[in-house]
Each structure stands twice: as structure tokens, then as C-alpha cells.
Amino acid sequence: MTAQEHAEPQILIVEDEPKIARLVADYLEGSGFATHHLDHGDAVLPWLTEERQAGTGPALVLLDLMLPGTDGLTLCREIRQRWPALPVIMLTARVEEVDRLLGLELGADDYICKPFSPREVVARVKAVLRRSQAADQPDSGEAGDLVLDEEGWRALADGQDLGLTAVEFQLLKVMMHAPGRIFSRDQLMDHMYRDHRIVSERTVDSHVKKLRRKISDIWPEREVIRSVYGVGYKYQPEA
């Protein structure tokens, strides 16, 4: 299946347990999605590369953590580097906090622990796609020399693409739409993760740190994302 052959958004399911993959695919297809299944980690990047070169490919990746071949965390890192705006939801039986934080800090947009309800997976997929796609409400979101291309999910500083992940883009978007407003970490988490799951404040700090670094690579003398001690963060467009 390809995105061009289906009007429905395509979901790539990377899962080595056939029964789980089939169950999730059945529920997704019953909810209006097209699906493609891969059961080996080594097959993921070549398949995505070929699909992207053809102008097709998935709208979202459901990625198991424990896979034969290349593991899920390595794949998540590679996907983020090559296709920053492609949403990734990680599936795993490992529920330790360190795994949760590592998965999110590598750029995963959500994290679902096994065993799970397939209906929950469908709901999470829809929620992440709502956050990750701005085609229904395109908005340039200009503020100073930093510009948000919300339809293309890009941020440009002096015309240069910052190469943000979907989570970093959402974080910047929230602050840029209210310049000067101070957002607490809890408020930023509510915007970044609409399902209100529990996420460590360190995860928000990590995303802010990476976002600042990408901006400073282009604007080393400017600090547009400011820390407000004991409160949170704000976007301040002035130099």
C-alpha cells in the first residue's frame, strides 16, 4: 500500500509480533487509515527512504522498541535526523521511566506501553496526527525574523530551516503565538501532549535545550527563548 493509492493517511506499523501487528492494523483500517507492516528493524530505513524518494510514505510510524535487527530507539533517532516532521509513536513493554524519557527525548511524539487496547492506539494516532498536521489551518506565524511554516511544519530563521522535530516545532509554535507570555512547564506539556499523560519536567527542559541550540546555530548572538527562573519559558523576539 502507498499513500498515493489511498486517500486515507498511511500508518507504518513496525512490530515483530504478527498477532499484535494484525490487530492494530485491523483497528486502524477500520478507522479509515491505510497501513503497511514491517517486522524487522533493518527493513525500516530502506523502506522509508524508497517511499520518500517516490513522494509517498506514511503519515505516522508506530514503532516497537524491541525489534530484531535495528532496535526502536536507534530507528527513532535516525528517523528524527532524516525526516524531522514524521511523527513517531513508540510501542513497548518496557515501562521504566528511563526508557520513557529516552524515547521522548529522542523525538518520539508519544509512547504506548504493552499491553494496550487497540482502540487506545487508534485514539493516540489520531491525536498525534492532529498535532502534527496543520494543513487545515495554514498560518505563517511570523514573528521578527523567525517564521513558522505551519503547513510544512518548518521553522525558518533568516530563511534557514531549523530542522525541528514535530515536538520541537509544537513547542516553538505555542510560545511564538503568544510573544512575551510566560509558560510553565505544565502548560507546555499540556500543549505538547494533549492526552495529559505524566511526563517529567526534564523532558520539557531537554526539548527547550535542543530548540535553543538549533536557533543559536543560526543566531549565536540572540536569545529568543528565555528562561524565567522558577516559572518556565517565554518567547521574546527582540534581540
Side-chain angles (χ1 to χ4, degrees), residues 151-229:
E151 186 169 5
W153 276 75
R154 300 185 304 157
L156 307 174
D158 289 340
Q160 299 183 59
D161 192 340
L162 294 178
L164 303 183
T165 67
V167 173
E168 291 164 355
F169 180 89
Q170 181 70 10
L171 178 64
L172 180 60
K173 174 184 172 181
V174 168
M175 290 190 284
M176 282 187 66
H177 277 269
R181 175 183 169 183
I182 301 171
F183 289 89
S184 69
R185 291 173 178 82
D186 286 341
Q187 289 171 328
L188 291 173
M189 282 190 283
D190 285 343
H191 285 284
M192 293 159 61
Y193 307 109
R194 298 286 186 176
D195 55 6
H196 304 293
R197 69 184 183 279
I198 302 300
V199 177
S200 168
E201 290 185 353
R202 289 196 296 121
T203 300
V204 176
D205 292 340
S206 175
H207 287 306
V208 170
K209 181 179 179 180
K210 292 176 182 178
L211 177 58
R212 280 172 158 170
R213 184 169 61 243
K214 290 178 180 181
I215 295 173
S216 68
D217 285 344
I218 298 175
W219 289 341
E221 305 300 323
R222 295 181 62 179
E223 184 183 10
V224 296
I225 297 178
R226 311 281 181 88
S227 299
V228 181
Y229 183 76

Side-chain angles (χ1 to χ4, degrees), residues 142-147 156-159 219 222 235 237:
E142 294 189 28
D145 297 321
L146 189 58
V147 178
L156 307 174
D158 289 340
W219 289 341
R222 295 181 62 179
Y235 176 79

Side-chain angles (χ1 to χ4, degrees), residues 51-211:
E51 291 292 309
R52 289 286 168 151
Q53 288 175 347
T56 56
L60 180 145
V61 179
L62 281 173
L63 180 61
D64 190 25
L65 179 62
M66 302 300 293
L67 293 165
T70 309
D71 65 87
L73 289 179
T74 300
L75 287 171
C76 185
R77 183 187 297 111
E78 288 294 324
I79 289 170
R80 277 290 161 261
Q81 290 177 351
R82 300 187 192 191
W83 306 285
L86 177 58
V88 176
I89 297 178
M90 302 199 76
L91 304 175
T92 183
R94 295 169 61 179
V95 298
E96 294 87 350
E97 180 69 9
V98 64
D99 288 329
R100 184 184 303 272
L101 288 173
L102 183 56
L104 292 172
E105 289 177 3
L106 282 174
D109 297 274
D110 206 344
Y111 194 108
I112 304 176
C113 295
K114 299 176 181 178
F116 49 74
S117 161
R119 290 187 178 88
E120 177 190 6
V121 175
V122 172
R124 295 284 191 95
V125 166
K126 290 180 178 179
V128 169
L129 287 176
R130 282 197 298 268
R131 295 199 303 264
S132 300
Q133 296 172 344
D136 291 337
Q137 295 181 345
D139 182 1
S140 62
E142 294 189 28
D145 297 321
L146 189 58
V147 178
L148 290 183
D149 172 12
E150 295 194 20
E151 186 169 5
W153 276 75
R154 300 185 304 157
L156 307 174
D158 289 340
Q160 299 183 59
D161 192 340
L162 294 178
L164 303 183
T165 67
V167 173
E168 291 164 355
F169 180 89
Q170 181 70 10
L171 178 64
L172 180 60
K173 174 184 172 181
V174 168
M175 290 190 284
M176 282 187 66
H177 277 269
R181 175 183 169 183
I182 301 171
F183 289 89
S184 69
R185 291 173 178 82
D186 286 341
Q187 289 171 328
L188 291 173
M189 282 190 283
D190 285 343
H191 285 284
M192 293 159 61
Y193 307 109
R194 298 286 186 176
D195 55 6
H196 304 293
R197 69 184 183 279
I198 302 300
V199 177
S200 168
E201 290 185 353
R202 289 196 296 121
T203 300
V204 176
D205 292 340
S206 175
H207 287 306
V208 170
K209 181 179 179 180
K210 292 176 182 178
L211 177 58

